[in-house]
Amino acid sequence: MSAILKEYQVKFIDQKKKNEAADLDFNFWEKANCLTDFCSPWNTDSFSKIEFRALWDFDYLYFNFKVFDGNIYIDQKDDSIDSIGNSDRVELFFRKNEAMSPYYCLEMDTTARVMDFEAYPNHNFDFEWSWPKNELKLKASKESTFFILQGKISISSLKALDLIHNNIIETGVYRAKFSQNNDAQYEPTWITWVNPGTETPNFHIASSFGRFVLME
């Protein structure tokens, strides 16, 4: 029997409200529910507050991460998968169902670089895959005490990938925070919306997903 999934309600934004605010500006997010319920089950150290918001209309799913951390690490050697994977970032995973065959991953750093890939169970990743062209748009900004990563994903691409069922999108929401250890090497703290109940960090597992409920 499937577990009852944690839920986040994604409010609908009507055209009038959308017209009153520039796309993805501060006022745009006033209506959205603010998700702050994150945890790091494998680390007892405190971590910076994260605010996640999402809205939707018939064209797009909009999302906004605001992370209250002014000490960001970015691996800038190139724009490769390894470079993004070694940088502070936020992540959204989407799955069709609990079998996760396949599921889709967006790992986005604080400069709006994205590592997007199709995945299958047991860490079987296809990095040649990418989100459909022009169906994902991102932007990032950074201040002294926080950074923002926000974007929009077309509803048509989510439907094409069979990710919306009865106005529900099964979703994982995560963050990777890199800090220097005693050997001056950078290592990640893994932060998640849903505690997957694993002994070691693992986002690539069915128990790390919740549900985005698209409200009307």
Side-chain angles (χ1 to χ4, degrees):
M1 183 177 178
S2 298
I4 297 175
L5 299 183
K6 202 170 181 180
E7 289 190 352
Y8 171 76
Q9 293 187 346
V10 183
K11 292 184 178 180
F12 186 83
I13 184 145
D14 60 35
Q15 192 63 42
K16 180 180 177 182
K17 178 67 175 177
K18 187 175 175 182
N19 290 340
E20 289 172 353
D23 197 8
L24 304 184
D25 75 2
F26 175 78
N27 294 327
F28 183 80
W29 301 103
E30 288 182 326
K31 181 181 178 181
N33 289 318
C34 182
L35 177 67
T36 60
D37 186 16
F38 291 88
C39 63
S40 182
W42 313 280
N43 192 317
T44 58
D45 296 338
S46 61
F47 57 87
S48 302
K49 182 181 179 182
I50 303 166
E51 293 181 351
F52 175 84
R53 293 174 172 85
L55 295 165
W56 79 289
D57 60 23
F58 295 125
D59 297 318
Y60 290 99
L61 172 69
Y62 306 89
F63 62 90
N64 181 305
F65 287 88
K66 184 174 183 180
V67 181
F68 292 84
D69 184 355
N71 185 20
I72 302 304
Y73 176 69
I74 299 293
D75 184 330
Q76 297 179 316
K77 65 179 181 290
D78 53 38
D79 288 329
S80 66
I81 289 170
D82 287 342
S83 179
I84 299 171
N86 289 326
S87 299
D88 278 21
R89 62 190 185 276
V90 291
E91 305 177 0
L92 290 173
F93 292 2
F94 304 103
R95 71 184 193 189
K96 298 180 181 183
N97 51 47
E98 194 173 9
M100 296 175 61
S101 187
Y103 60 106
Y104 301 93
C105 305
L106 299 174
E107 304 195 8
M108 304 157 286
D109 76 6
T110 62
T111 65
R113 296 184 302 177
V114 59
M115 175 168 49
D116 47 351
F117 55 97
E118 183 179 59
Y120 291 82
N122 301 314
H123 291 77
N124 179 5
F125 303 150
D126 178 6
F127 291 109
E128 296 299 315
W129 184 94
S130 60
W131 203 269
K133 189 176 180 180
N134 299 324
E135 304 297 317
L136 168 68
K137 296 182 179 180
L138 302 176
K139 71 176 184 178
S141 61
K142 189 169 125 178
E143 302 293 340
S144 60
T145 58
F146 66 87
F147 72 85
I148 291 174
L149 188 288
Q150 57 186 331
K152 58 183 183 179
I153 303 170
S154 73
I155 294 297
S156 60
S157 67
L158 291 166
K159 288 181 176 179
L161 294 170
D162 193 27
L163 295 172
I164 303 179
H165 302 124
N166 299 318
N167 272 23
I168 290 171
I169 308 172
E170 297 189 4
T171 309
V173 187
Y174 317 101
R175 183 190 177 208
K177 165 62 182 174
F178 280 77
S179 304
Q180 278 188 310
N181 59 23
N182 293 332
D183 298 321
Q185 300 295 312
Y186 282 90
E187 58 184 19
T189 296
W190 301 104
I191 301 163
T192 177
W193 170 39
V194 177
N195 184 347
T198 57
E199 290 187 9
T200 57
N202 189 358
F203 296 163
H204 298 272
I205 190 170
S207 56
S208 78
F209 282 71
R211 305 189 336 161
F212 282 8
V213 181
L214 305 182
M215 310 299 291
E216 291 192 42

